[in-house]
Amino acid sequence: MPPIPFSDQSPQFLLEVLNAIPIPIFLVDRDAAVVACNQAGADLAHDRSEKILRRRAGEVLHCINSSLTPGGCGHARPCGECVIRSAVNESFAGRRTVRKKTRMILVGDTDKEICHLLVTCSPLHPDASSALGLLILEDVSAVIALGEILSICSHCRKIRADNERWENIENYLHHKLEVDFSHGICPECRASYYSD
């Protein structure tokens, strides 16, 4: 049986498909204000989807620059170099931005967090009066963390998590990458320490 084309599916089915995608997807207007989003988009914003509608992308993501001026997202000096805003502008010029890297500083509940994203934005122009952009944000912070140069103590093998705090490698990787460890003995150590 051939697959049913998306055009023949109900809007509810398409909404369920979008919500099943684990990557944040936003529909945005010319000012990068969110018109709609999937569940992963609401999760990224740490908010219910109805609270993020009609708010600009930087405000939704809690970008540090969105709080620098009374005008909010898009009005601070650093906003001129924002990859998300640039991608949205490109989409309204009829061009697509695909997986362009950016680094954002986000304001969390207790401190600042650096987030690395791949930004994709494509134009959606059903008609000129209701033009929208499809904005997709892939969080690649964990992958970037793997490429960082880490300071490690040459004696105890702890990793410097910040300028003041050192933690064992298992805790550091669990905190940064949600990696869990089990312990074993490699063949060389088995031969050296347990040769009998």
Side-chain angles (χ1 to χ4, degrees):
M1 180 169 155
I4 300 170
F6 275 127
S7 60
D8 294 344
Q9 297 293 336
S10 72
Q12 182 61 36
F13 173 78
L14 294 176
L15 182 61
E16 289 174 16
V17 169
L18 288 174
N19 282 332
I21 298 171
I23 297 172
I25 300 172
F26 300 92
L27 286 178
V28 294
D29 66 14
R30 289 184 182 277
D31 196 28
V34 175
V35 174
C37 70
N38 69 347
Q39 184 59 52
D43 293 345
L44 177 68
H46 306 294
D47 233 329
R48 294 189 319 273
S49 61
E50 61 269 9
K51 288 185 73 178
I52 66 177
L53 298 181
R54 293 173 295 286
R55 290 176 55 207
R56 295 182 193 119
E59 295 160 359
V60 168
L61 297 172
H62 308 286
C63 173
I64 194 169
N65 297 322
S66 69
S67 62
L68 293 178
T69 64
C73 173
H75 297 280
R77 184 175 305 163
C79 296
E81 298 174 13
C82 175
V83 170
I84 293 174
R85 187 157 288 277
S86 169
V88 169
N89 290 342
E90 287 291 311
S91 78
F92 283 97
R95 295 181 292 276
R96 176 184 291 179
T97 301
V98 179
R99 302 187 89 208
K100 187 167 183 181
K101 289 190 297 186
T102 190
R103 175 182 175 269
M104 293 180 72
I105 300 174
L106 308 179
V107 179
D109 293 334
T110 57
D111 59 356
K112 297 173 189 166
E113 174 184 334
I114 295 175
C115 182
H116 297 270
L117 298 170
L118 294 179
V119 177
T120 298
C121 196
S122 294
L124 285 179
H125 298 284
D127 62 59
S129 65
S130 63
L132 297 171
L134 182 68
L135 176 65
I136 301 170
L137 303 175
E138 298 173 74
D139 186 353
V140 293
S141 299
V143 175
I144 298 297
L146 290 174
E148 293 177 350
I149 295 177
L150 301 175
S151 295
I152 189 167
C153 174
S154 38
H155 179 69
C156 71
R157 313 303 284 172
K158 286 184 180 175
I159 303 258
R160 183 171 58 207
D162 55 41
N163 288 334
E164 303 296 323
R165 190 171 47 93
W166 291 79
E167 59 184 295
N168 70 39
I169 193 165
E170 291 93 346
N171 288 344
Y172 179 84
L173 291 175
H174 179 74
H175 179 267
K176 283 283 196 181
L177 304 174
E178 298 180 8
V179 172
D180 290 319
F181 291 86
S182 66
H183 290 86
I185 299 173
C186 73
E188 291 86 9
C189 288
R190 186 179 310 122
S192 295
Y193 298 107
Y194 302 100
S195 59
D196 55 337

